[in-house]
Amino acid sequence: MVLKKKMIIKNPDSKQVQLDELHELLTLPNLSAKQRELITKEIHALKQGVQGEQNSEYEINFYLKDSKNWAVIHDLRIEHNGRVAQIDHLLINRLLDVFVIETKNFSADLQINEQGEFTAWYNKKPIGIPSPLAQNEKHIEVLKALSKTLPLPTRLGVTLMPSFTSVVMVSNKQRITRPKNFDTKNVIKAEQVLEWVTKTNADDASFGRMFGSLAKIVSGETVMEIAEIFTRHHRSIKPDYKAKFGINELANTAQVEEQKAAMAAPPAVEVAPISEAVEEVAKLTSSKLAAKLGLKNTQELIDKLVEKGFVEIVEGKPKLTAQGKAAGGEAKFSPKFGPYFIWPETLRSI
């Protein structure tokens, strides 16, 4: 097998599709204030996470991308035995040391106390956050369980199992307050990655561990093959943001009106008097009226009706006003599509 010069086995999955979807959700007309707040926070958190991963990715690639002794995996998601590990970066060397890196991009000062609890300070206010060290240990447990099922290399009939080490990597600009007694050497800044994985751990390793590692040293080609085995178990996932934020697609006026215009059926049982039937024929759904008036979409019509006083927004939903009824507007309900409006075909003064 020809050794590749580049040891980056997997690059991060793009988060742009997720960001685009979240921004699109913000354009929906009937979101509650709480839903808008949660979606906005999700966008901010996603951007912060991407920025942190990119900063760490740059530092890792800068030092290791051309190394023949390392394999690098970015953004690895593993599902095994009902458990999930979402790993930001995985580094594997020829001693089968596997560094599992969790990146955090805090926009506040970070404090770690003697009990290993993490606190972020925002505007001089402390906010407790989950320990990324504890989070990473769960990821390692999944990797250990998965490793027992993988076709890893053997020597003298014994499978060479990797050794896993947890690393939490933060921004180079992050200010960290560390305790005196609780060991936080595994919490590093991105720029320290090369020194940490090469010098620091070698200095701290016992003779027995180093001897055992040397006994299982493998070639660069084998390191790459092991990394590719892990990568084949990557399972990407597309978040269901509508379910997460409780968004009912058919509850949004524009979508309801468009589908209603195409699929609404006439009454099946009752036959309206002739005068009412003539009046009904002379009225259009909001989507049809919007098209007749040359507007871009139904929402543009609703906005104009609100400005005119024919419709008001109550708890995020459009409601026909007394002035709207006087202008000939009617509120209807479809068992399939929900509430909608019809308007006189002659309604042009909007």
Side-chain angles (χ1 to χ4, degrees):
M1 179 177 181
V2 179
L3 181 64
K4 296 179 181 178
K5 291 183 179 180
K6 302 294 184 182
M7 298 298 281
I8 310 300
I9 306 302
K10 179 185 179 299
N11 288 309
D13 295 344
S14 173
K15 303 298 190 298
Q16 190 58 50
V17 173
Q18 294 171 229
L19 286 170
D20 290 344
E21 181 181 355
L22 288 167
H23 282 294
E24 185 176 348
L25 289 179
L26 283 178
T27 67
L28 296 177
N30 287 338
L31 292 179
S32 67
K34 185 64 176 177
Q35 285 173 320
R36 290 189 182 279
E37 178 186 357
L38 292 175
I39 294 173
T40 301
K41 286 183 177 180
E42 185 79 11
I43 292 173
H44 176 73
L46 187 56
K47 287 182 176 179
Q48 285 286 100
V50 169
Q51 184 63 55
E53 291 177 17
Q54 287 176 344
N55 292 341
S56 301
E57 178 191 356
Y58 172 79
E59 298 289 349
I60 292 170
N61 289 357
F62 184 85
Y63 293 114
L64 301 181
K65 68 177 182 179
D66 295 320
S67 172
K68 297 180 180 180
N69 298 318
W70 291 87
V72 177
I73 303 171
H74 298 299
D75 191 14
L76 180 67
R77 183 179 181 277
I78 299 292
E79 297 179 2
H80 183 69
N81 287 343
R83 296 187 295 179
V84 176
Q86 181 70 56
I87 300 157
D88 295 329
H89 313 282
L90 203 71
L91 313 183
I92 309 173
N93 65 18
R94 293 179 59 197
L95 298 176
L96 294 190
D97 292 323
V98 179
F99 297 94
V100 183
I101 300 178
E102 174 77 10
T103 60
K104 294 297 180 183
N105 188 31
F106 299 108
S107 58
D109 291 343
L110 180 64
Q111 179 180 347
I112 310 171
N113 66 15
E114 296 291 351
Q115 289 71 45
E117 298 168 336
F118 283 67
T119 300
W121 289 77
Y122 294 90
N123 297 324
K124 298 182 179 181
K125 294 182 180 179
I127 299 177
I129 58 176
S131 167
L133 287 171
Q135 181 182 4
N136 219 20
E137 288 300 328
K138 294 178 182 178
H139 297 164
I140 288 176
E141 288 302 313
V142 176
L143 287 172
K144 285 181 177 178
L146 175 65
S147 296
K148 295 177 181 179
T149 69
L150 300 180
L152 297 174
T154 60
R155 183 161 295 165
L156 299 177
V158 178
T159 300
L160 302 180
M161 296 300 295
S163 300
F164 296 94
T165 301
S166 173
V167 185
V168 173
M169 188 180 292
V170 299
S171 165
N172 293 332
K173 299 179 180 180
Q174 184 70 56
R175 191 171 109 179
I176 308 173
T177 302
R178 301 176 185 267
K180 292 182 179 179
N181 299 317
F182 183 80
D183 186 2
T184 62
K185 75 174 185 298
N186 291 29
V187 180
I188 67 172
K189 294 188 177 183
E191 63 190 1
Q192 299 172 310
V193 61
L194 180 65
E195 179 183 6
W196 198 90
V197 300
T198 55
K199 181 178 182 298
T200 305
N201 286 279
D203 290 345
D204 291 344
S206 66
F207 174 79
R209 179 184 176 279
M210 288 298 295
F211 182 81
S213 295
L214 290 173
K216 66 179 182 182
I217 190 169
V218 298
S219 66
E221 292 93 334
T222 301
V223 171
M224 187 170 64
E225 290 171 0
I226 293 173
E228 288 176 342
I229 289 174
F230 277 117
T231 303
R232 284 199 290 270
H233 286 77
H234 173 67
R235 299 291 182 267
S236 60
I237 188 172
K238 183 180 182 299
D240 187 349
Y241 288 126
K242 289 180 180 177
K244 181 174 182 177
F245 300 117
I247 297 173
N248 180 1
E249 186 173 359
L250 291 179
N252 289 281
T253 305
Q255 294 168 334
V256 171
E257 295 291 346
E258 290 172 0
Q259 294 190 43
K260 199 173 58 284
M263 303 177 64
V269 180
E270 296 185 5
V271 178
I274 294 178
S275 59
E276 291 184 14
V278 171
E279 182 183 5
E280 189 75 19
V281 171
K283 292 186 177 183
L284 303 174
T285 61
S286 297
S287 59
K288 287 186 177 180
L289 181 59
K292 189 176 183 66
L293 296 175
L295 302 178
K296 293 180 181 179
N297 50 43
T298 307
Q299 185 57 45
E300 187 175 353
L301 173 67
I302 295 296
D303 291 341
K304 290 182 176 294
L305 292 171
V306 170
E307 293 176 4
K308 194 70 176 178
F310 294 167
V311 171
E312 61 181 343
I313 303 300
V314 179
E315 295 183 352
K317 297 182 180 181
K319 181 180 179 181
L320 192 66
T321 64
Q323 188 175 348
K325 292 178 181 178
E330 292 185 48
K332 297 288 186 179
F333 182 83
S334 165
K336 188 171 184 179
F337 299 110
Y340 65 99
F341 302 127
I342 58 174
W343 306 94
E345 186 177 7
T346 56
L347 185 66
R348 298 180 180 275
S349 58
I350 56 172

